Amino acid sequence: MSFVFVSGDLALDLAGTLKWRRSEPEELLRTPADLARWAVEAGVLTEVPALDVADLRRLRALREAVYRLATHGMQGLPWPGDDLRLVNEEAGGTPARMSLTPSGVARTGDAGAVAADVARSAVRLLGGIDALRVRECGREACTRVFVDRSRAGNRQWCGMEECGNRVKAANYRSRKSRASTAR
């Protein structure tokens, strides 16, 4: 299994680790090792952290809080108080430690560092001007949220590879089918 980082924001990329929320949810963070791998692939850490089941529960709770805050914001609804408290609490934690090494920048830390970096990303996004650019993917089954930073502000899909191409291919097949039955 591979993670995708198409949301344009670290916090929303974490939210995207639970796919297809309205139909058949697919959990991408099944084990602490999955979470550790995600933290490295997302660039939060450069070294794989030692994580346990409690850490996994903690980051999943943060993920769900971020998702609810983002979707409530998109709908113009008030943010749930518990989610707001959780994100703010995690944002106050100690972020990943950065150090300069001969091979580049090293980012080390534990689950708390991952949570702090993700929560700070959520605070910057949802408390800033880009909050107005948060969208949900236009593919009916997809529930991934992303920041639309396109020039025209009309991005429809979380990513072309998983959703955009499938929607376009389905539309093409539908047009082709209609054209052949009209003859």
Side-chain angles (χ1 to χ4, degrees):
M1 164 192 42
S2 150
F3 299 109
V4 295
F5 299 92
V6 296
S7 297
D9 182 83
L10 177 65
L12 297 184
D13 282 330
L14 179 64
T17 60
L18 180 61
K19 297 167 58 175
W20 323 117
R21 291 166 180 268
R22 286 187 296 267
S23 54
E24 296 179 36
E26 180 183 346
E27 177 62 72
L28 302 181
L29 301 178
R30 287 173 284 197
T31 68
D34 292 335
L35 174 58
R37 193 168 49 82
W38 180 87
V40 171
E41 288 183 25
V44 178
L45 304 174
T46 54
E47 297 177 19
V48 176
L51 302 177
D52 60 24
V53 173
D55 297 327
L56 180 61
R57 279 195 299 270
R58 176 183 184 179
L59 269 292
R60 281 181 177 172
L62 177 58
R63 173 189 70 190
E64 295 311 301
V66 166
Y67 181 79
R68 284 187 295 268
L69 290 173
T71 56
H72 276 70
M74 288 183 323
Q75 298 168 24
L77 300 173
W79 286 329
D82 289 344
D83 295 331
L84 196 56
R85 276 188 289 285
L86 176 61
V87 168
N88 286 332
E89 181 179 306
E90 293 290 11
T94 303
R97 290 176 296 284
M98 293 178 64
S99 56
L100 188 59
T101 70
S103 59
V105 176
R107 295 179 55 86
T108 58
D110 57 8
V114 175
D117 282 355
V118 167
R120 287 173 185 210
S121 180
V123 167
R124 280 189 298 274
L125 173 66
L126 300 174
I129 191 71
D130 277 347
L132 299 172
R133 296 173 170 256
V134 175
R135 312 267 189 275
E136 184 178 68
C137 182
R139 183 176 174 199
E140 189 174 323
C142 186
T143 56
R144 189 178 307 260
V145 288
F146 62 90
V147 182
D148 179 4
R149 291 193 177 97
S150 66
R151 185 175 296 182
N154 61 355
R155 182 174 156 192
Q156 295 178 339
W157 304 290
C158 61
M160 282 304 293
E161 192 170 311
E162 188 166 358
C163 289
N165 284 339
R166 291 181 186 190
V167 170
K168 286 182 172 190
N171 289 343
Y172 173 78
R173 286 190 301 274
S174 176
R175 284 191 311 272
K176 192 118 170 118
S177 174
R178 284 193 309 264
S180 67
T181 58
R183 292 182 190 166

